[in-house]
Amino acid sequence: MAALGWLSPRRRSATARSVLAGEASAEAARKSTQEETGTVTVSGEEPDFPVHGDERAAAFFDLDNTVMQGAALFHFGRGLYKRNFFETRDLARFAWQQAWFRLAGFEDPEHMQDARDSALSIVKGHRVSELRSIGEEIYDEYMAERIWPGTRALAQAHLDAGQKVWLVTAAPVEIAQVIARRLGLTGALGTVAESIGGVYTGKLVGEPLHGPAKAEAVRALAAAEGLDLSRCAAYSDSHNDIPMLSLVGHPYAINPDSKLRKHARELEWRLRDYRTGRKAAKVGIPAAAGVGAVAGGTAAAIALHRRRR
């Protein structure tokens, strides 16, 4: 941490939390993955990307409003309410935040923080295995029908090229891993909640995987996997993910908010907007786009949890 000495104590603390969150998420993701290979289906204006067989390349996808319409955390909250995890007034707050997210098209930090705090208090004392099992059910109930087909096709193109594909999200890592597995992706980087003996404590390891913490997680995973970030791709809808997008050689703005759209145009990043169908990706969609080898997994960063304690 010596390199952070020029920062104020408050900035050093925030940066340290981002690094810890990124490392925790990367470790949880690596523990839960299996490798999958396939064949190229890319055609059109970018025939040489993704590059088939490039083992030092991978793709990183933001989840909310990039892969899936709306916010995973809010859909998860609806599912927990249905199972009597909390009361009606809490559901009303989740519903308002989700409605705002869908109308505005981007994340409000206060809403997201409130949702995360609520989720942590709700799951405190519950077993990790219980939440994973419920996550499977909630995916079928609320999330499966909200996957953007265009973004799913982009992810499939990387898989078919023999590359690993990771979700990178502020959603709980256990839920993110369920979504990644159900989509046939390699795995997921997500917010790591502390657990002791398989039971949630109501605390986080580091901080939510958001903004700079996402970039730290991708950087840590790339180093551990031997990836060349200049050959990797990243996809997001939010200007909050500019740090992650800036890490890779192939950044994509997907359904971008106004700030990211402006930034992407200035830097000549590729844009795709599936909200209106104006910009369809030049990628062939396999007949069984939703079916692939099972990866992802269920492990959390237990070692880092213990170190945090």
Side-chain angles (χ1 to χ4, degrees):
M1 304 297 287
L4 305 178
W6 60 276
L7 296 173
S8 67
R10 182 175 180 179
R11 290 287 301 279
R12 285 200 301 272
S13 177
T15 302
R17 290 196 300 272
S18 292
V19 171
L20 179 58
E23 290 178 347
S25 186
E27 181 173 333
R30 291 197 76 226
K31 286 182 177 179
S32 68
T33 58
Q34 300 172 3
E35 190 170 359
E36 176 188 3
T37 59
T39 57
V40 178
T41 59
V42 178
S43 61
E45 66 182 16
E46 296 161 8
D48 59 341
F49 184 79
V51 178
H52 180 257
D54 186 353
E55 295 183 355
R56 298 198 64 197
F60 303 93
F61 284 79
D62 169 57
L63 176 58
D64 296 347
N65 214 38
T66 301
V67 171
M68 181 177 66
Q69 299 176 48
L73 192 58
F74 300 145
H75 297 316
F76 186 55
R78 292 175 63 194
L80 292 182
Y81 171 77
K82 180 179 178 181
R83 291 159 177 81
N84 299 315
F85 272 66
F86 54 92
E87 300 177 356
T88 303
R89 64 174 180 270
D90 299 303
L91 178 64
R93 185 172 68 253
F94 271 102
W96 158 245
Q97 291 166 337
Q98 171 67 359
W100 189 96
F101 182 87
R102 290 177 65 87
L103 289 172
F106 61 91
E107 301 165 346
D108 179 275
E110 292 185 3
H111 286 182
M112 299 300 289
Q113 184 63 53
D114 183 37
R116 283 188 290 268
D117 290 344
S118 298
L120 284 170
S121 64
I122 289 167
V123 303
K124 181 179 180 180
H126 288 273
R127 299 198 65 81
V128 175
S129 58
E130 177 188 8
L131 268 294
R132 288 185 187 128
S133 177
I134 291 174
E136 296 279 356
E137 299 171 3
I138 291 175
Y139 177 84
D140 290 325
E141 293 170 2
Y142 300 113
M143 300 179 183
E145 65 182 11
R146 291 178 169 83
I147 302 298
W148 292 107
T151 311
R152 179 68 188 87
L154 290 171
Q156 187 64 43
H158 287 278
L159 291 171
D160 289 346
Q163 296 177 6
K164 293 183 178 181
V165 178
W166 306 83
L167 290 181
V168 188
T169 174
V173 67
E174 292 83 6
I175 304 307
Q177 288 168 350
V178 167
I179 297 170
R181 182 174 58 78
R182 298 295 288 272
L183 292 176
L185 309 183
T186 308
L189 297 154
T191 297
V192 179
E194 183 183 70
S195 63
I196 300 176
V199 177
Y200 289 113
T201 67
K203 300 178 182 178
L204 294 182
V205 177
E207 62 179 19
L209 202 70
H210 186 264
K214 280 189 178 181
E216 293 293 344
V218 168
R219 198 191 311 274
L221 184 63
E225 294 272 304
L227 300 174
D228 180 347
L229 286 171
S230 69
R231 288 144 69 172
C232 293
Y235 302 79
S236 178
D237 73 296
S238 174
H239 69 279
N240 293 313
D241 289 338
I242 288 176
M244 177 181 75
L245 293 169
S246 299
L247 280 180
V248 301
H250 301 276
Y252 281 77
I254 305 293
N255 306 326
D257 62 34
S258 59
K259 290 183 180 179
L260 177 58
R261 183 180 294 275
K262 180 176 184 294
H263 188 85
R265 284 175 172 167
E266 289 175 351
L267 274 65
E268 298 184 347
W269 290 353
R270 299 180 182 92
L271 288 92
R272 300 285 187 271
D273 198 326
Y274 302 120
R275 293 168 295 192
T276 63
R278 290 195 307 267
K279 300 176 182 178
K282 302 296 185 179
V283 179
I285 304 178
V291 180
V294 173
T298 57
I302 301 300
L304 283 172
H305 292 178
R306 292 172 178 168
R307 188 177 74 184
R308 183 64 172 170
R309 301 203 308 272

